[in-house]
Amino acid sequence: MDRRLPASVGLAMRAVWGLVGIIGLTVVLMAVFYTSVIGSWARRHEGAREAFAQGGRAGLERAGFVPPAFLPVGATMFVVAAMLVWVLTVFFREGHRWGQLGLSGLVLGTIFASVALGFVLRPPAAFVLLALVSLVVEAVAAACLWHRDTLDYLSDTWVDDAVDGPVDGPVDGGVESPV
């Protein structure tokens, strides 16, 4: 594509890559604050709350509680998000509207995750702060993905394979087929 990228397209791509970075930072914080993350989970489960209060993670194990595997799930989500952003930004940069729609869906998913994981589940304070930062980046990404300049950039690529030639005329050069 020979057209110059509008600033909104470039900023949208940087913002969605920023979201991938925030997901990676979240995984790192999960590892650093693993005991606090497990404690947050235990607070929402009746027996686990008491077991964690009495002996931390070891108390949970003695009481037979197995907390969710937060780190492997987080690491997997990081890899999946990075791969999705990589593929979708390639097509978005080339002017394909479905790249914009896919990135918009990804941003909507991260907004949901930021609210649910950052506020509803009452995680440790570091994750609440990270959720707030994430919401700002998500707002920038969404605004740029749907900015007028972005829409103008994508406007002529809604149908990628336009038909060349007349739509109503004969396809085979005007010769009637015998059938």
Side-chain angles (χ1 to χ4, degrees), residues 22 24-34 37 71 126-127 130:
I22 290 171
L25 182 57
T26 302
V27 173
V28 169
L29 288 176
M30 271 194 253
V32 170
F33 296 111
Y34 192 69
V37 170
L71 284 174
F127 294 96
L130 198 56

Side-chain angles (χ1 to χ4, degrees), residues 31-109:
V32 170
F33 296 111
Y34 192 69
T35 300
S36 296
V37 170
I38 297 299
S40 178
W41 171 83
R43 280 194 307 267
R44 294 184 311 277
H45 297 84
E46 188 69 32
R49 185 176 331 133
E50 291 83 22
F52 188 80
Q54 292 175 359
R57 289 176 24 203
L60 284 173
E61 289 176 16
R62 282 192 302 273
F65 287 98
V66 179
F70 293 111
L71 284 174
V73 171
T76 301
M77 289 306 299
F78 171 70
V79 171
V80 168
M83 292 173 72
L84 277 172
V85 166
W86 177 57
V87 168
L88 291 171
T89 55
V90 167
F91 290 103
F92 177 59
R93 172 186 270 279
E94 291 191 10
H96 298 281
R97 185 161 312 269
W98 64 269
Q100 173 206 29
L101 297 174
L103 289 172
S104 296
L106 186 72
V107 169
L108 284 174

